[in-house]
Amino acid sequence: MKSEESVGPPVLKVENLAVAYKVRGGEVEAVQDVSFEIHRGQSLGIVGESGCGKSTVAWSIVNFLGANGYVKRGSIKFQGQELVGKTGEALRRLRGDQIAMVYQDPMQALNPSMRLGDQLREVLTVHRGLSKKEAERRCIEMLERVYMPDAAAVMKRYPHQISGGQQQRVVIAMALLNNPALVIMDEPTTALDVTVEAAVLDLVAELRRDFDTAIMFISHNLGVVARVCNHVGVMYAGEMVERARVGDLYANPQHPYTQGLMRCVPKLGSDKVSSILYPIRGRVPPPDNRPAGCIYGPRCDYAQDRCQHEHPALRPISGVGNWARCHFAEEIDAAAWTPPEEIPIPTIDQPQSDNQPIMQINELSKYYEVRGDSLRDVFGLSQPRYVKAVERVSFTVPKGKTLGIVGESGCGKSTLIKTIIGLEDSSSGEAQFMGFDITGAIQQRDTQLIRELQMVFQNPDSTMNPSYTVGQQIGRPMERFNTVPKNQIRSEVIKLLEAMRLGSNYYDRLPRQLSGGEKQRVGIARALASQPDLVLCDEPVSALDVSVQAAILNLLLEVQQQFGTTLIFIAHDLSVVRFFSDYVAVMYLGQMMEIGPAEAIYAPPYHPYTEALLSAVPIPDPKARQKRIRLEGAVPSAMNPPTGCRFNTRCPRRHLLPDPDICLTEPPWRDVGPDHQIFCHHTVETLSSFDPVIAETV
């Protein structure tokens, strides 16, 4: 492994960079005074909240700032040559040959109308002048290098014919074909499952080491950066506020903003009773309204008069290896920090529940019929085929508790939630809520039942009417379900807005005037407007910054504590699920693999699938020792699931069974503790013998 220390001249050196955009009436500086350098074999992670300028810095390097964007000041040197001011053919050849970029959405870089092989070969035929046959061979080799299954066949496919994780691997392979000196990765794993994300991050770390490539890795996920980067830069409101080696930054953050980000992230082993998330108050200021002096001053817990008038410089902090943009970094003791009164912290008592179930699900299934376009299909002469999205799922939810549901994309989590809420009717099985049957679609349900069962969606934009004000949208359920008299609706909506930390001034605002976090709070307020007993949350915090995520999680905990609301919570982040949930259910290909108390799910014994999920979680601690288990292949089709245990085609523990073929038969449910069950052929003794996924930090 390469040393983390700088060796030789930097591949990329950015000095005092300022990027501006022309707007009506003048210009706005989106980025100002940013400096860093990256050497060969190094990976620099750039972190910060949305709107901090991370992507703008990346776009400025490759001159993709748009017609109204330009580098106003500073220098960008790549291998010693200045990029600022370079345009035309010279810059185009440099981008395609020596500088490569991997986007958050791989479809931004792939042409949907061209076969993948044609797109990959073009990189080598244009920039290296290779023959088509030689380019084909090199492309297949590179696809195999990024662990693409059946690489030769993938060359003949179109982008839509492979999964999202495979699309991202194609883009990474394309970026590395010319062995570039610099690869820029802009949130390359945000849209991926945790298992695919782990494989891509492993790949990034291997490529940095094997190709000796310099990598600039942009992410809002502190765990991802800890896994793949050896240096970190923290950006806030267009400025670099801290820069350090990854171990130094995570062990001893110097800037108050970095410390605040660390306090927002739930640790994998933490729960809501023993730990607290502390969101950063306020929000990132817009580029045209930044404060004088220290730009972080209005949100800083240590701000003094000097911070209001004097702008701090990025400087080395004595006694540590960090550089920080703070007047008082040496005087700040992060361990002695206490939350200011403005930060609302929920008081979480150990719930006194009688464990009476509010919901009981028994053998619930949801199938979707699939019809082809042949004549036999059109006239109903062919055998019907079904997507088995949810099959024979059973669980109970105690009143006042939270059930978290985790699993990869396509495992049936959202379909299960939609079936419970009534957006889909069930195919078979029983579902009871407060003693009422809820197996039918929502049109068949009583109004009172609909009132008691509400939902918070992942994307609030898709569920909010852009023409109606916030107050009208929250007040609609109150009017529809007659929860309060009409003349009191406005006052009740304002109470809800204040409970969401928004205030009465949001009543007459339109959705376009809100930030993403504010829209999600409005979505939660609307779900609570009918005073429901059960709220279903489908990935409510996955698209939010860590500070907003912490605030939303605290808000949901406070609501549950105050009103005794029962929650079903879907998320792909297992750290969030562990922190937030009392019980956890693990789903795979439409079936439950394991269910039990949260503390039991995150320690042996666990199902081999649960074990693999936990080993893939990025932990925001570079010193954490984590077992490495990577699942081979993609999730099979729900139209034709594997026989017996559905996980048997990818199970890393199958070979340990005396007769591995037993996995071709359906496994039994094994009781491994109070309310804890595992759906597996392995005995409890065998499952208990496996080492924990997360060991003590070194």
Side-chain angles (χ1 to χ4, degrees):
M1 188 72 182
K2 255 185 189 305
S3 167
E4 291 186 359
E5 297 302 327
S6 305
V7 178
V11 173
L12 178 69
K13 187 172 184 178
V14 176
E15 292 184 288
N16 305 317
L17 178 68
V19 177
Y21 288 91
K22 295 176 183 177
V23 296
R24 184 180 299 174
E27 66 175 19
V28 171
E29 283 195 16
V31 168
Q32 51 193 8
D33 194 23
V34 169
S35 300
F36 60 86
E37 57 185 47
I38 313 175
H39 294 253
R40 289 205 78 97
Q42 287 187 345
S43 178
L44 172 70
I46 306 291
V47 300
E49 295 170 277
S50 299
C52 284
K54 306 185 297 296
S55 294
T56 301
V57 171
W59 295 123
S60 69
I61 295 170
V62 291
N63 195 24
F64 282 165
L65 292 170
N68 65 328
Y70 63 99
V71 175
K72 184 178 180 181
R73 296 186 303 276
S75 168
I76 303 173
K77 289 183 179 178
F78 172 71
Q79 294 185 328
Q81 60 177 310
E82 182 63 60
L83 297 186
V84 176
K86 189 184 289 288
T87 57
E89 182 66 16
L91 187 57
R92 188 186 71 81
R93 286 195 169 276
L94 198 63
R95 286 197 298 252
D97 188 18
Q98 289 297 304
I99 302 175
M101 189 150 186
V102 178
Y103 302 85
Q104 177 176 351
D105 179 5
M107 287 306 292
Q108 290 183 7
L110 297 175
N111 188 328
S113 63
M114 289 178 64
R115 296 184 189 273
L116 293 167
D118 295 334
Q119 299 183 58
L120 286 162
R121 283 191 298 268
E122 187 179 52
V123 175
L124 294 172
T125 56
V126 171
H127 293 287
R128 288 287 185 266
L130 298 184
S131 67
K132 184 176 179 180
K133 184 177 181 180
E134 177 62 16
E136 174 96 6
R137 184 186 66 80
R138 291 271 299 275
C139 290
I140 292 175
E141 286 180 355
M142 185 57 73
L143 285 175
E144 291 173 344
R145 180 66 187 80
V146 299
Y147 305 111
M148 178 68 74
D150 199 5
V154 168
M155 292 280 286
K156 301 174 184 177
R157 296 175 186 164
Y158 289 93
H160 71 272
Q161 294 176 310
I162 60 176
S163 68
Q166 290 175 329
Q167 289 172 1
Q168 196 62 282
R169 293 183 198 201
V170 169
V171 172
I172 292 174
M174 189 183 298
L176 293 166
L177 276 172
N178 284 328
N179 193 17
L182 174 67
V183 177
I184 301 171
M185 297 186 166
D186 189 1
E187 300 269 15
T189 62
T190 298
L192 303 180
D193 279 321
V194 65
T195 50
V196 179
E197 177 185 62
V200 171
L201 294 180
D202 289 344
L203 178 62
V204 171
E206 289 178 19
L207 297 175
R208 175 173 64 84
R209 180 186 65 234
D210 298 346
F211 286 79
D212 204 29
T213 304
I215 295 176
M216 178 178 171
F217 193 100
I218 296 171
S219 179
H220 69 276
N221 190 318
L222 296 171
V224 167
V225 170
R227 177 174 286 183
V228 299
C229 298
N230 48 24
H231 289 75
V232 185
V234 182
M235 288 195 67
Y236 179 76
E239 293 186 347
M240 188 78 74
V241 297
E242 186 163 5
R243 197 176 66 227
R245 289 182 299 183
V246 65
D248 295 335
L249 185 108
Y250 282 78
N252 193 16
Q254 294 296 300
H255 196 280
Y257 178 60
T258 311
Q259 296 168 7
L261 290 178
M262 299 289 188
R263 288 190 287 263
C264 292
V265 182
K267 306 300 186 290
L268 187 60
S270 302
D271 59 48
K272 58 188 176 184
V273 176
S274 63
S275 63
I276 298 174
L277 300 182
Y278 298 99
I280 304 173
R281 54 183 171 160
R283 68 167 89 173
V284 179
D288 59 349
N289 191 28
R290 290 176 180 142
C294 176
I295 54 173
Y296 188 62
R299 303 176 76 187
C300 183
D301 300 325
Y302 305 98
Q304 300 182 26
D305 290 342
R306 180 183 178 186
C307 304
Q308 299 179 20
H309 312 291
E310 185 179 341
H311 190 76
L314 186 67
R315 59 188 179 86
I317 306 303
S318 58
V320 294
N322 306 33
W323 288 59
R325 193 182 296 274
C326 179
H327 293 304
F328 307 105
E330 291 89 348
E331 304 170 25
I332 294 173
D333 181 6
W337 177 85
T338 56
E341 294 182 358
E342 302 96 289
I343 297 181
I345 305 300
T347 302
I348 306 299
D349 300 323
Q350 196 64 257
Q352 301 298 318
S353 173
D354 56 7
N355 285 331
Q356 289 298 313
I358 192 172
M359 174 172 285
Q360 294 175 298
I361 306 295
N362 185 35
E363 299 283 311
L364 188 69
S365 298
K366 174 60 185 177
Y367 294 174
Y368 296 98
E369 186 174 354
V370 178
R371 288 189 176 274
D373 52 7
S374 68
L375 286 176
R376 289 181 61 84
D377 290 319
V378 170
F379 289 102
L381 300 176
S382 60
Q383 192 73 17
R385 295 176 298 162
Y386 297 93
V387 173
K388 300 176 181 179
V390 175
E391 189 165 28
R392 294 185 288 114
V393 166
S394 300
F395 61 87
T396 61
V397 185
K399 185 173 177 58
K401 298 292 185 72
T402 300
L403 171 68
I405 303 178
V406 299
E408 295 169 283
S409 296
C411 72
K413 305 186 301 295
S414 293
T415 301
L416 175 61
I417 289 292
K418 290 177 182 177
T419 305
I420 292 173
I421 198 71
L423 297 177
E424 303 278 0
D425 56 350
S426 62
S427 301
S428 64
E430 300 175 353
Q432 287 197 338
F433 170 65
M434 300 177 66
F436 295 94
D437 178 33
I438 57 169
T439 52
I442 198 166
Q443 295 88 343
Q444 304 169 19
R445 297 185 181 178
D446 181 81
T447 302
Q448 184 65 23
L449 191 60
I450 297 173
R451 169 191 165 178
E452 299 291 356
L453 199 61
Q454 293 294 311
M455 187 163 180
V456 178
F457 296 87
Q458 178 177 357
N459 183 6
D461 281 319
S462 64
T463 61
M464 296 179 70
N465 191 322
S467 302
Y468 285 78
T469 66
V470 166
Q472 289 173 318
Q473 300 195 51
I474 298 176
R476 172 61 178 160
M478 296 180 182
E479 180 180 354
R480 174 74 175 82
F481 298 116
N482 296 316
T483 54
V484 295
K486 285 190 176 182
N487 60 351
Q488 297 178 20
I489 288 179
R490 183 181 180 92
S491 61
E492 289 298 319
V493 169
I494 290 174
K495 284 182 183 178
L496 262 179
L497 286 171
E498 289 173 345
M500 300 297 114
R501 317 295 181 202
L502 292 176
S504 59
N505 56 323
Y506 281 79
Y507 188 96
D508 294 314
R509 294 189 187 183
L510 293 170
R512 67 172 183 269
Q513 297 172 300
L514 308 180
S515 69
E518 288 170 340
K519 290 176 185 175
Q520 196 59 284
R521 294 181 191 209
V522 171
I524 294 171
R526 185 177 56 186
L528 296 173
S530 66
Q531 301 172 11
D533 278 314
L534 177 64
V535 176
L536 309 174
C537 302
D538 188 4
E539 298 271 15
V541 297
S542 62
L544 304 179
D545 284 320
V546 290
S547 181
V548 180
Q549 172 184 280
I552 295 296
L553 291 175
N554 282 348
L555 181 59
L556 287 170
L557 290 175
E558 188 175 317
V559 166
Q560 185 177 47
Q561 191 75 13
Q562 182 176 353
F563 299 107
T565 309
T566 308
L567 299 170
I568 296 180
F569 187 89
I570 289 179
H572 68 273
D573 188 331
L574 274 76
S575 301
V576 169
V577 172
R578 171 68 181 96
F579 169 81
F580 191 73
S581 305
D582 300 295
Y583 296 89
V584 176
V586 182
M587 286 191 71
Y588 180 80
L589 205 58
Q591 291 187 334
M592 291 288 187
M593 296 289 111
E594 182 172 5
I595 187 168
E599 63 274 10
I601 296 289
Y602 286 75
Y606 22 50
H607 191 280
Y609 181 56
T610 308
E611 183 183 32
L613 290 179
L614 290 172
S615 75
V617 178
I619 300 175
D621 182 0
K623 297 181 180 180
R625 296 174 58 191
Q626 190 172 11
K627 189 188 298 183
R628 187 183 185 279
I629 301 172
R630 298 294 179 261
L631 298 179
E632 299 293 332
V635 179
S637 169
M639 192 182 302
N640 187 27
T643 304
C645 174
R646 294 194 171 180
F647 188 54
N648 79 77
T649 57
R650 302 172 74 202
C651 181
R653 300 291 191 182
R654 181 179 175 181
H655 69 281
L656 298 178
L657 287 162
D659 178 16
D661 287 343
I662 196 175
C663 293
L664 300 178
T665 63
E666 184 165 298
W669 277 103
R670 300 190 183 277
D671 292 316
V672 293
D675 300 321
H676 185 193
Q677 295 179 302
I678 296 177
F679 192 55
C680 186
H681 283 292
H682 279 293
T683 64
V684 176
E685 291 73 23
T686 301
L687 296 173
S688 300
S689 68
F690 299 150
D691 294 330
V693 170
I694 312 297
E696 295 290 331
T697 56
V698 294

